[in-house]
Amino acid sequence: MSERWALAAEEEGDGALLAPLGPDGTPAGPVRREPDLVAAVRDRPEVARWVWRSTAEVYPRLLAAGVRVERCYDVEDAEQLLLGAEGRLGEPRSAAAAWARLRNGPVPPDPPPRTAEPGSQDSLFEPRRVTPVPFEGLLAVYAEQLHRHDRVGHPGRMRLLTAAESAGMLVAAEMHRAGLPWRADVHRALLTELLGERYAGGGEPRRLAELAGEVSAALGRRVRPDLPADVVKAFGQAGVRLGSTRRWELARVDHPAVEPLIAYKKLYRIWTAHGWSWLADWVRDGRFRPEYLPGGTVSGRWTTNGGGALQIPKVIRRAVVADEGWRLVVADADQMEPRVLAAISRDPGLMEVAGHPDDLYTRLSARAFSGDREHAKLALLGAVYGQTSGDGLKNLAALRRRFPLAVAYVDDAAKAGEEGRLVRTWLGRTSPPAVGSGDADEAGLPQEGGDEPVADEGEFVPGYASGNTRARGRFTRNFVVQGSAADWALLMLAALRRSLAGMRAELVFFQHDEVIVHCPAEEAEAVTEAVRAAGDEAGRITFGDTPVRFPFTAATVERYSDAK
DNA sequence: TAAATTGGCGCC
DNA sequence: AAAGGGCGCCAATTTA
């Protein structure tokens, strides 16, 4: 049937340790050592799931040898998710730590996170400094983890979550390997067009220097536009008081320096964040290969390491061009937040609105906002983000009248946060505890030790400032929606990956609710269909039996910038 | 002098 | 008119 094997790379050399696993996760045969990890996997196509310490440690080696696996179980990722579910977030998550806890031994701290170095696109191949765990430890931790799934609030959902995020780990490694097609020549031409030529001695390109000159001329003295303090001072001398140099504040000021200043800031950003040095650092052989970290944010959204892959400015997307004869299928999930809110709150009205593939906000506005789509959208996003002022509040009242369960769902999450309780996504990813709350979670599980996670020390101290309490409420309010959307996205990616397995198409980019698949032109139609199917399938698997649809806007293009 | 923080802005 | 969630990255400034 579905065979499961545990696998570990030997610390030295190419060898591997392996063991077949029984239904309860314990070894079903002797541990064996084989001299070639890649061959060990390649020669066992019947294995349906590989259990290993860390996907990032093992899978790049397999991919480099052209070997893919169907499924895996990432023990360290699962440890992190289980610790969260148990209200123990912040305890070390390494397999070595989990093994130490099982034996009541001293628990080693986690190694610090690695940051990708510019230029070293193969950072995934560099072994991470980890505390080694013996193979018997890995086996024991895995078997124990299976039991721990049974003790959380929703065991079935938790099993789905750990399996899905493990699938995400496979996708992440495969996307890193494939890379986003990137035309350096197009990028360079774009930079020259926007920024002007570079001067020989370095420094700002021509267009930036010109704009800096215009700003200075308008303010009557030399100003460095990239220094907020200098800008505020110069405006002050010109009789304009600024609290900051943020764009929205500048845009309200009537002064001839504003326009060139805003233009400067926009171009400066492109120059520093996605300019010539970025190109030299991150694009190699026509591909941009960021390192993806599934579950890199507390809410479960992915992050990337190096190159700012999730913040590629729209104007730069012209450099993302499919290979000759190939296309990019660019697909965006439509109105994901309200659809997810409908599914998790089970609000009948909102589920009905979200039960169609056409524009949700239009339907919403027809129901509760006399056809005003913008108001409908603002009200819903305001509810999800915890907006505290503006039009949002009046519109929120209308939303609450028509969709009481949906609004109550996020209100309850906000209340939980304000009271220092934990909240969870639909599949069971848990919010980090409020630092300073010190309480065990609602399941009444004790918290070991007095050390809180070091992150955010000093924020959210109850009783210190009500502003922090409210901020905590906004965070948990958003967490349940954003995080459940991330749950869905994992299942969507897993489903899409499965459908693409028989094609030449490759997933090359993922950004929260958007995917890019690079494929031969003749496969584009099938890929588009696969994406659409993956969206709805993920909706069914993640959220169960609801009428909510998860449609995509998909475009087949040669350049990323031509989508939407 | 190196590490941590700040301001700003890109994306969702 | 002004404001609400999550990030990463850069340059400058402050802190240790």
Side-chain angles (χ1 to χ4, degrees):
Chain A
M1 297 301 292
S2 68
E3 281 201 46
R4 239 183 323 171
W5 282 61
L7 173 74
E10 284 191 313
E11 274 182 65
E12 302 284 326
D14 300 327
L17 296 166
L18 310 88
L21 301 173
D24 64 347
T26 59
V31 173
R32 57 206 82 187
R33 185 202 164 269
E34 297 193 2
D36 183 351
L37 179 139
V38 171
V41 173
R42 181 164 40 210
D43 296 345
R44 291 182 174 80
E46 73 280 6
V47 173
R49 192 181 297 278
W50 288 98
V51 176
W52 51 46
R53 184 185 67 77
S54 154
T55 309
E57 176 199 40
V58 176
Y59 200 41
R61 280 171 63 180
L62 295 172
L63 288 175
V67 176
R68 294 196 172 211
V69 304
E70 234 176 281
R71 296 190 182 82
C72 77
Y73 179 96
D74 187 305
V75 169
E76 292 194 338
D77 186 61
E79 184 66 23
Q80 168 95 350
L81 293 168
L82 286 164
L83 285 173
E86 293 159 352
R88 300 160 62 198
L89 214 64
E91 291 187 40
R93 50 159 285 191
S94 70
W99 172 229
R101 281 189 290 264
L102 272 184
R103 292 179 305 153
N104 293 311
V107 177
D110 283 342
R114 205 166 26 84
T115 51
E117 288 190 16
S120 79
Q121 296 208 2
D122 290 329
S123 56
L124 270 172
F125 291 91
E126 291 164 16
R128 189 164 166 242
R129 191 176 296 285
V130 292
T131 317
V133 63
F135 195 56
E136 58 158 336
L138 183 72
L139 294 172
V141 167
Y142 174 62
E144 166 71 3
Q145 283 185 350
L146 292 190
H147 290 301
R148 285 159 67 196
H149 280 78
D150 295 330
R151 296 197 290 267
V152 304
H154 296 278
R157 295 189 201 171
M158 195 69 202
R159 280 189 283 268
L160 199 52
L161 179 61
T162 53
E165 194 149 272
S166 285
M169 295 290 174
L170 297 178
V171 170
E174 289 165 6
M175 285 199 302
H176 174 79
R177 172 110 198 134
L180 186 63
W182 200 285
R183 285 275 296 273
D185 56 333
V186 175
H187 190 157
R188 269 186 221 105
L190 184 62
L191 291 176
T192 305
E193 177 193 324
L194 293 170
L195 304 173
E197 303 84 22
R198 287 186 286 176
Y199 293 122
E204 294 179 322
R206 180 178 52 76
R207 186 70 192 125
L208 276 182
E210 286 169 4
L211 285 167
E214 288 175 37
V215 172
S216 298
L219 285 165
R221 76 172 185 71
R222 176 161 157 69
V223 180
R224 291 271 313 271
D226 53 317
L227 299 186
D230 198 30
V231 171
V232 169
K233 200 157 108 195
F235 270 94
Q237 287 161 357
V240 179
R241 265 227 298 285
L242 288 175
S244 74
T245 63
R246 288 190 175 84
R247 181 138 79 236
W248 63 263
E249 190 172 341
L250 283 175
R252 299 190 349 245
V253 173
D254 182 25
H255 191 281
V258 166
E259 193 198 320
L261 179 55
I262 289 178
Y264 179 96
K265 288 156 83 78
K266 222 176 171 55
L267 293 178
Y268 177 80
R269 162 93 192 164
I270 290 180
W271 179 48
T272 57
H274 286 91
W276 290 276
S277 355
W278 182 91
L279 191 54
D281 284 345
W282 297 109
V283 175
R284 180 112 52 263
D285 302 325
R287 293 290 187 270
F288 170 42
R289 293 194 168 83
E291 183 178 334
Y292 295 86
L293 300 175
T297 77
V298 288
S299 66
R301 275 190 173 184
W302 294 27
T303 57
T304 57
N305 212 329
L310 302 186
Q311 299 97 233
I312 303 168
K314 297 217 157 137
V315 63
I316 297 295
R317 297 176 180 187
R318 271 158 58 187
V320 180
V321 184
D323 290 349
E324 190 68 38
W326 286 52
R327 296 291 183 274
L328 300 169
V329 174
V330 180
D332 254 279
D334 299 328
Q335 310 100 33
M336 198 169 48
E337 285 97 341
R339 292 177 190 277
V340 166
L341 179 56
I344 61 182
S345 69
R346 300 298 212 248
D347 183 284
L350 197 56
M351 283 199 295
E352 205 284 315
V353 168
H356 300 80
D358 44 306
D359 184 70
L360 181 140
Y361 294 122
T362 302
R363 276 187 179 273
L364 191 64
S365 65
R367 278 214 161 206
F369 296 90
S370 356
D372 188 331
R373 184 184 183 278
E374 271 317 292
H375 277 175
K377 183 174 175 178
L378 282 177
L380 205 132
L381 293 178
V384 171
Y385 289 148
Q387 193 162 23
T388 54
S389 67
D391 289 340
L393 287 189
K394 190 185 71 190
N395 295 321
L396 187 58
L399 199 69
R400 185 176 273 115
R401 259 198 319 280
R402 300 291 188 135
F403 309 104
L405 290 188
V407 177
Y409 195 93
V410 285
D411 282 352
D412 286 350
K415 186 156 176 286
E418 286 168 6
E419 293 171 356
R421 287 180 285 129
L422 303 179
V423 294
R424 298 202 159 82
T425 67
W426 184 258
L427 290 187
R429 190 187 308 269
T430 304
S431 64
V435 169
S437 73
D439 289 330
D441 76 0
E442 73 272 27
L445 292 162
Q447 278 194 310
E448 299 287 326
D451 291 337
E452 290 293 340
V454 290
D456 299 330
E457 189 88 52
E459 283 195 22
F460 307 137
V461 179
Y464 181 73
S466 62
N468 285 339
T469 300
R470 282 200 302 274
R472 178 79 196 163
R474 285 193 300 271
F475 167 66
T476 50
R477 170 190 294 272
N478 184 255
F479 180 94
V480 294
V481 179
Q482 186 187 109
S484 298
D487 292 347
W488 168 86
L490 283 176
L491 271 295
M492 182 273 295
L493 286 172
L496 180 57
R497 175 177 183 267
R498 251 191 330 271
S499 326
L500 299 184
M503 309 186 202
R504 294 165 71 197
E506 283 182 312
L507 252 168
V508 292
F509 190 66
F510 166 63
Q511 183 177 37
H512 311 314
D513 62 351
E514 175 183 358
V515 292
I516 300 182
V517 177
H518 189 219
C519 65
E522 61 273 17
E523 284 185 357
E525 208 172 314
V527 167
T528 303
E529 192 39 52
V531 172
R532 295 197 195 286
D536 283 322
E537 184 185 339
R540 284 192 301 276
I541 297 176
T542 306
F543 303 116
D545 187 22
T546 84
V548 178
R549 301 286 309 274
F550 290 89
F552 279 90
T553 296
T556 298
V557 294
E558 293 184 43
R559 295 169 184 267
Y560 187 13
S561 54
D562 291 338
K564 65 177 118 169

